[in-house]
């Protein structure tokens, strides 16, 4: 039973080194490691070569010079040979039992898609932006393995490729810069009857750098996350008008309820204020989901883009 681990990366050498080291230390050894370098200058080539020299499994280096999160994931998907494909982003650190836990959950629950928990590691976690970053980049779930009603993002996940009939480019290139490609991908799997599972022991840490803890970036992430629900109903291949109306109504309600709550609770309950702010901004995203309003996070040259590229939407 073969399993590939795919790590897409974009100008984040230290994060990639640590992510790769955590994969090399796994108690359940992968059959191959796929490193997808999405920088035009091939900046991860040396790290891939060094990894190949010490790894006890094949290391496949893929250079995808066209920046874009979907381009990177599609290139890695095409290069992987394993039946099972595990996704780890280059800002994530897997626990030693991560891969074995994902695989065990897939077999025990008899599900073709499995997700694991993420714990965000941020600077100044007690500050308001630190609390919001922790909320946005963490992933919590049941205390034990369980079936899920809805999927999460692709970071820290595993799929059984034999369970699906997938196109050559399963991640939509139209979402290269704005993200949400993993939402569309898992919607594609759901349309083919996918069942989703949660692996409580498949833990990973997501390291959130300073470029992703400023207010502008954090609020853009909340807004984009909110847009996803409505945009999924507006996909050209499966327009759901009732769903669009529903999520826009939910977004309006969130704005009306949580925006005042965020302001009123700030002096007395900062944690509640941060949660309310996140929900209010997500509500705005659900309401203002139209093409052209999406924040662009991937395939760009700025510092924040370099921090975010290679990491799917949180």
């Amino acid at each position: 039973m073969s399993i590939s681990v795919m790590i897409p990366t974009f100008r984040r050498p230290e994060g990639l080194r640590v992510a790769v080291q955590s994969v090399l230390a796994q108690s359940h050894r992968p059959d191959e490691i796929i490193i997808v370098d999405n920088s035009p200058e091939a900046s991860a080539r040396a790290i891939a070569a060094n990894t190949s020299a010490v790894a006890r499994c094949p290391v496949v280096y893929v250079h995808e010079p066209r920046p874009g999160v979907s381009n990177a994931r599609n290139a890695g998907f095409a290069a992987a040979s394993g039946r099972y494909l595990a996704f780890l982003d280059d800002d994530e650190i897997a626990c030693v039992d991560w891969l074995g836990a994902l695989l065990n959950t897939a077999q025990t629950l008899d599900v073709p898609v499995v997700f694991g928990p993420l714990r965000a590691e941020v600077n100044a976690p007690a500050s308001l932006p630190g609390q919001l970053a922790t909320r946005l980049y963490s992933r919590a779930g049941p205390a034990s393995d369980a079936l899920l009603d809805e999927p999460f993002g692709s970071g820290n996940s595993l799929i059984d490729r034999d369970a699906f009939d997938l196109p050559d480019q399963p991640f939509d290139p139209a979402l290269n810069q704005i993200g949400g490609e993993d939402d569309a991908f898992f919607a594609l799997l759901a349309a083919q009857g996918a069942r989703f599972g949660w692996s409580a022991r498949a833990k990973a840490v997501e390291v959130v750098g300073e470029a992703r803890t400023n207010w502008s970036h954090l609020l853009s992430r909340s807004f984009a996350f909110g847009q996803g629900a409505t945009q999924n109903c507006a996909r050209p291949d499966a327009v759901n008008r009732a769903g669009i109306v529903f999520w826009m109504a939910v977004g309006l309600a969130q704005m009306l309820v949580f925006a005042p709550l965020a302001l009123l609770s700030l002096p007395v309950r900062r944690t509640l204020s941060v949660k309310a702010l996140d929900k209010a901004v997500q509500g705005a995203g659900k309401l203002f989901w139209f093409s052209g309003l999406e924040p662009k996070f991937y395939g760009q040259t700025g510092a924040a883009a370099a921090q975010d590229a290679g990491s799917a939407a949180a």
Side-chain angles (χ1 to χ4, degrees), residues 7-260:
I7 308 175
T9 186
F10 181 82
R11 296 175 181 165
R12 194 187 276 153
E14 187 55 35
L16 176 62
R17 288 191 190 94
V18 177
V20 167
Q21 288 170 1
S22 73
V23 175
L24 296 177
Q26 290 299 300
S27 57
H28 185 108
R29 188 187 309 173
D31 293 284
E32 66 178 0
I33 300 171
I34 312 293
I35 297 176
V36 186
D37 186 354
N38 199 210
S39 65
E41 67 275 17
S43 60
R45 190 184 299 274
I47 296 175
N50 293 338
T51 303
S52 183
V54 300
R56 293 183 293 171
C57 66
V59 176
V60 180
Y61 173 76
V62 179
H63 183 214
E64 172 48 84
R66 300 169 300 164
V69 63
S70 293
N71 289 340
R73 296 201 190 283
N74 284 331
F77 199 95
S81 62
R83 169 183 170 180
Y84 288 92
L85 182 57
F87 296 90
L88 190 73
D89 290 335
D90 67 352
D91 56 358
E92 295 174 351
I93 306 168
C95 74
V96 69
D97 296 324
W98 168 73
L99 198 55
L102 287 173
L103 191 59
N104 179 262
T105 299
Q107 296 169 337
T108 302
L109 296 181
D110 189 24
V111 292
V113 185
V114 180
F115 302 92
L118 286 170
R119 177 179 61 82
E121 184 179 281
V122 304
N123 292 325
S127 67
L128 286 175
Q131 289 183 45
L132 181 54
T134 299
R135 175 178 172 83
L136 289 174
Y137 290 99
S138 293
R139 176 194 295 167
S144 58
D145 290 6
L147 295 176
L148 297 173
D149 294 328
E150 300 289 342
F152 288 98
S154 55
N156 190 4
S157 68
L158 176 139
I159 68 166
D160 178 358
R161 300 200 296 174
D162 285 357
F164 305 103
D165 180 18
L166 297 174
D168 292 338
Q169 292 189 316
F171 294 92
D172 187 355
L175 302 174
N176 263 321
Q177 293 189 356
I178 62 177
E181 82 296 336
D182 44 0
D183 292 335
F185 173 70
F186 290 119
L188 174 65
L189 302 191
Q192 295 188 23
R195 298 167 65 241
F196 304 109
W198 174 259
S199 182
R201 294 187 301 108
K203 298 177 181 178
V205 171
E206 177 152 355
V207 181
V208 184
E210 289 187 13
R212 292 193 290 168
T213 56
N214 64 72
W215 279 113
S216 175
H217 185 78
L218 291 170
L219 295 178
S220 293
R221 294 294 298 183
S222 287
F223 184 81
F225 186 79
Q227 284 183 313
T230 316
Q231 288 174 340
N232 280 337
C233 294
R235 297 197 316 272
D237 59 328
V239 176
N240 179 356
R241 291 182 174 80
I244 294 173
V245 172
F246 170 79
W247 285 115
M248 290 182 70
V250 170
L252 178 60
Q254 284 184 287
M255 292 176 62
L256 294 175
V257 172
F258 289 107

